[in-house]
Amino acid sequence: MKEKNLLVKNARIIDPAGGLDESGDILVAGGKIIKTGKDIAAAGATVIEASGLIACPGFIDLHCHLRQPGYEDKETIATGAAAAARGGFTTVCCMPNTSPPLDNAATVGHVKDIAAREAPLITILPAGCITKGRAGRELTDMAELAAAGCIGFSDDGSPVSSARLMSLAMQYTASLDLPVIDHCEDLDLSRGGHMNDGWVAARLGLKGIPAAAEDTMVARDIALCQLTGARLHVTHISTKGSVELVRDAKRRGLGVTCDVTPHHLTLTEERVMVAQAGTGTALTYDTNARVNPPLRSSADIDALIQGIKDGTIDAIATDHAPHTMGDKLCEFENAAPGISGFETAFGTLMALVHTGRIDLNVLIACLTAGPARVLKSAAGTLQPGARADIALLDTGREWTVDVKDFLSKGRNTPFDGCKLKGMVVATISGGRFAYSYSRKIYNIKPVNEYLG
Ligand SMILES: [Zn+2]
Ligand SMILES: [Zn+2]
């Protein structure tokens, strides 16, 4: 099928990888970026008038859960990809804690087949398990998983508690030149805990998880990274201590990278506590604010933001973790941890820009060039020849989160009803529209056959 060329006109083009922040046009042909610049003319191209909008590379998410196979009541690859596109993401790395888990080539191949068939517009990159069945006892065949297309290894949802096994895993991942995507949690310290250890937990009578449960594991795995020469990617970093450890490891030249989630940057442990409906004064908890690692303190948020500013933190990753209503409509202790995060990521993060805490270019770098670097991927840029993955953003547009509008099956979010300022207007993947907001408001005409 001959595809029409696309011409994005008069956008503010921000491409951190290419060092670009200027107004101009982007010409797309054959699914690739042809050029960016001023007053590009292209006869016959579909023109997208983007004045007032930012055009940047499609976002890359290093950490999400698409739940298929096994948990299709929470999410499928198709619904997850649609939600990702709505969030501006064109590349997502899905974690292997499915059922069965992605601990062998056949299951990885199955996921890739479904992705190619049902979500062809989004690049879906699976991570493989570190241990068989994520049981923490026996390593998977990592070479086989790498050959099947895994972009890294993780037992996410669980840590690898045995230091000996983790060091062995890192020897293999080092030889494959793929990262370990590390869920850092010392289960001895976190056991029985459900939220951050602090005054809110005490007030609600919930057992806390100390920051040290994360810090000790980050410290251990940095030591193992030094021992083995592996690439260590600490995911969903949440504590001041972890940020300091990663900063120090980078200073020492180790191959350590890390990401932080939008919720750990924007919400504190206080969000767990809500007024009980009808009473006005009595306090209760909101299971939608239960995540692992837990929401931390404002001092942790300050350290995370400092980590983003000084380059200690490479990427912002959603840890999109959709669940059913039933998974959350229960006691806090029994609620499944996680937030359905694709569709609110950009809007919530923009609050940090509007309040002057993070520079817009730095934010976009953390969603594009930063994660691309972690993956050693050619995506995440608008330079000529790159795949035409483009997000169009309206940083000033206000909207109210309504979970009933979610494309994700997971409606579990503490942001429901929140007023956000900043919206993804359209997502173009490989030169085709994967998502567009209102054609009436933005006059953007989707040109692919999926949206009509
Ligand atoms: Zn995790
Ligand atoms: Zn996760």
Side-chain angles (χ1 to χ4, degrees), residues 120-313:
L121 291 178
I122 300 299
T123 304
I124 294 173
L125 305 173
C129 295
I130 297 172
T131 67
K132 289 183 183 167
R134 297 173 51 250
R137 280 189 286 276
E138 198 185 339
L139 293 184
T140 54
D141 186 335
M142 291 176 162
E144 178 193 286
L145 287 168
C150 290
I151 48 75
F153 298 92
S154 185
D155 274 1
D156 186 53
S158 312
V160 176
S161 291
S162 160
R164 190 196 57 80
L165 202 60
M166 187 55 129
S167 101
L168 206 56
M170 285 194 193
Q171 287 174 36
Y172 284 111
T173 61
S175 69
L176 295 166
D177 192 27
L178 291 173
V180 163
I181 300 169
D182 202 3
H183 170 114
C184 290
E185 177 182 2
D186 183 320
L187 293 176
D188 279 337
L189 285 170
S190 67
R191 187 165 293 124
H194 306 290
M195 66 172 295
N196 189 46
D197 194 22
W199 71 270
V200 181
R203 185 84 184 267
L204 290 171
L206 292 167
K207 191 171 178 305
I209 301 170
E214 178 172 311
D215 301 348
T216 52
M217 201 57 124
V218 172
R220 184 201 79 174
D221 287 348
I222 287 172
L224 295 179
C225 167
Q226 182 164 21
L227 176 70
T228 58
R231 286 163 59 194
L232 172 66
H233 180 74
V234 179
T235 191
H236 53 50
I237 190 170
S238 75
T239 66
K240 184 169 186 274
S242 297
V243 175
E244 286 166 1
L245 287 161
V246 171
R247 181 178 291 125
D248 177 66
K250 285 191 167 189
R251 199 177 287 138
R252 291 190 284 130
L254 299 180
V256 180
T257 53
C258 68
D259 69 62
V260 60
T261 73
H263 47 273
H264 286 108
L265 284 170
T266 56
L267 299 176
T268 69
E269 59 195 327
E270 290 175 48
R271 181 59 188 79
V272 173
M273 188 167 60
V274 289
Q276 202 155 17
T279 67
T281 50
L283 294 172
T284 184
Y285 46 69
D286 181 356
T287 56
N288 280 321
R290 180 167 184 205
V291 273
N292 190 18
L295 299 176
R296 303 285 188 184
S297 70
S298 57
D300 292 304
I301 289 183
D302 291 346
L304 292 166
I305 287 175
Q306 188 52 43
I308 283 182
K309 284 182 168 171
D310 68 18
T312 299
I313 295 177

Side-chain angles (χ1 to χ4, degrees), residues 63 65 95 156 236 319:
H63 187 144
H65 299 269
M95 292 298 115
D156 186 53
H236 53 50
D319 197 2

Side-chain angles (χ1 to χ4, degrees), residues 94-106:
C94 58
M95 292 298 115
N97 60 339
T98 48
S99 180
L102 307 186
D103 65 359
N104 63 83

Side-chain angles (χ1 to χ4, degrees), residues 8 17 51 92 97 106 117 144 179 196 218 240-241 258 267 332 360 368 388 425 432:
V8 178
S51 53
V92 301
N97 60 339
R117 203 170 55 237
E144 178 193 286
N196 189 46
V218 172
K240 184 169 186 274
C258 68
L267 299 176
F332 200 83
L360 177 64
T368 58
V425 167
R432 303 164 90 183

